[in-house]
Amino acid sequence: MARSATPTENRKPVTVPSVRAHKARDGKDPLVMVTAYDAPGARVVDEAGVDMILVGDSVAMVVLGYDDTLQVTVEDIAHHTAAVARTKPKALIVGDLPWMSYHVSTADTVQNAATLIRAGAQCVKLEGGRKRVGMVEALVDAEIPVMGHLGLTPQSVHAMGGFRVQARESEAALQLVADAKALQHAGCFAIVLEGVPDEVAHMVTAALDVPTIGIGAGRDCDGQVLVYHDLLGLEDRMAPKFVRRYADLRGDSVAAVAAFAQDVRSGAFPSDDESYHLTCEQSEALALYGSKA
Ligand code: KIV
């Protein structure tokens, strides 16, 4: 699997079968997934050596300014997926099926997933457990690999009564394990576990042969995922405890733009070196022309 020490051009492309077979209990390094929604972001995360790029519906909140993920459509995710795919990353591109794209008929679900695949995704992700089994089977039947997503599923924000940690009680934890097994049985090649106690994530991870990718699910998953804008400190309005910020790009960006504004206002920008100049001959010819005009 790709590691950050390996220059991008020497890396082998990450594939669905290689992810499916990747269990930490076999002594493998944890998988790394990071979101990206555009070409510059995709180049950054791919050059950093991540295994998977998730074109997440989190784009709604961290890029488009909505309060939840329910506002984005298949066309929105396809638009962002295409931008990521144009960079031809070595990382596997996961297209997130948005709300109401797989809560419809099986035929429409497959068509919606196909739209993301045609935009450049190599697999899709959907939220929910046993009730999604039929859709997962139909997608797998159509040769579309599926990543599951359990626990705190943001598309269920209203049903959950907010963005709340899930499976805190033993009965709910057992239901989560059953959901994970059902998704694996239906053909999911990996499962995101979001916002669940680490003991529960441990149980699910031990119960599955496919990898779990955690976010707010402790260290016992087979991999970890974070949202690009969270890990780079571009989004600092919300600070869930599972986010570790590795940079302060928002602070750095505000300081950089403020410095630019100050230089413009003081006349320090642009300098002579940052301007284009005529050749001496053209400059003289222009002066001559100007004096006659
Ligand atoms: O959309 C997203 O970014 C996600 C991750 C939080 C897993 O689904």
Side-chain angles (χ1 to χ4, degrees):
M1 198 57 56
R3 293 275 83 83
S4 56
T6 313
T8 315
E9 61 275 15
N10 296 340
R11 288 202 289 144
K12 282 209 294 202
V14 179
T15 63
V16 165
S18 71
V19 172
R20 186 198 300 278
H22 198 109
K23 286 295 280 184
R25 66 180 173 225
D26 299 332
K28 306 228 172 100
D29 287 346
L31 290 160
V32 181
M33 182 160 83
V34 176
T35 65
Y37 318 99
D38 57 20
R43 287 194 192 100
V44 167
V45 300
D46 198 49
E47 204 172 308
V50 305
D51 300 305
M52 288 173 280
I53 300 177
L54 171 63
V55 187
D57 62 358
S58 50
V59 69
M61 297 173 77
V62 297
V63 173
L64 302 176
Y66 293 115
D67 289 334
D68 57 46
T69 60
L70 305 179
Q71 311 302 328
V72 283
T73 62
V74 174
E75 287 65 37
D76 292 327
I77 301 290
H79 176 79
H80 289 278
T81 300
V84 167
R86 276 180 213 118
T87 69
K88 299 187 173 42
K90 293 286 171 45
L92 185 76
I93 303 175
V94 186
D96 212 2
L97 282 169
W99 179 60
M100 286 311 290
S101 67
Y102 55 94
H103 313 67
V104 291
S105 70
T106 308
D108 284 348
T109 298
V110 173
Q111 279 311 321
N112 288 332
T115 300
L116 299 192
I117 298 293
R118 290 202 170 117
Q122 292 154 299
C123 56
V124 297
K125 176 170 83 59
L126 53 71
E127 298 182 3
R130 276 161 288 180
K131 59 180 152 183
R132 304 289 175 234
V133 158
M135 294 308 174
V136 173
E137 284 172 347
L139 292 166
V140 171
D141 239 34
E143 313 300 345
I144 300 176
V146 185
M147 178 180 284
H149 185 159
L150 292 171
L152 194 174
T153 45
Q155 291 173 16
S156 312
V157 58
H158 299 310
M160 292 182 305
F163 297 108
R164 297 176 193 288
V165 173
Q166 300 293 300
R168 281 185 181 280
E169 276 149 29
S170 56
E171 182 50 32
L174 293 175
Q175 294 298 329
L176 194 88
V177 176
D179 278 334
K181 284 183 173 169
L183 289 179
Q184 170 177 274
H185 190 255
C188 283
F189 73 94
I191 297 178
V192 168
L193 293 179
E194 177 166 358
V196 297
D198 58 355
E199 297 88 343
V200 178
H202 176 87
M203 270 182 83
V204 175
T205 303
L208 296 183
D209 294 327
V210 298
T212 56
I213 321 284
I215 174 162
R219 51 163 59 142
D220 286 343
C221 296
D222 298 299
Q224 297 290 331
V225 51
L226 278 183
V227 168
Y228 182 87
H229 291 62
D230 288 339
L231 90 84
L232 292 179
L234 276 163
E235 173 59 70
D236 61 0
R237 290 168 303 169
M238 283 197 290
K241 84 184 235 178
F242 59 80
V243 169
R244 187 180 294 178
R245 296 199 199 291
Y246 289 85
D248 176 22
L249 291 199
R250 196 183 113 76
D252 291 349
S253 303
V254 170
V257 176
F260 169 65
Q262 191 185 346
D263 283 354
V264 170
R265 289 177 184 136
S266 71
F269 178 88
S271 69
D272 206 42
D273 282 351
E274 288 157 337
S275 308
Y276 297 103
H277 302 288
L278 289 174
T279 60
C280 288
E281 297 80 50
Q282 292 303 320
S283 182
E284 279 162 18
L286 196 64
L288 210 58
Y289 177 83
S291 67
K292 287 184 187 156

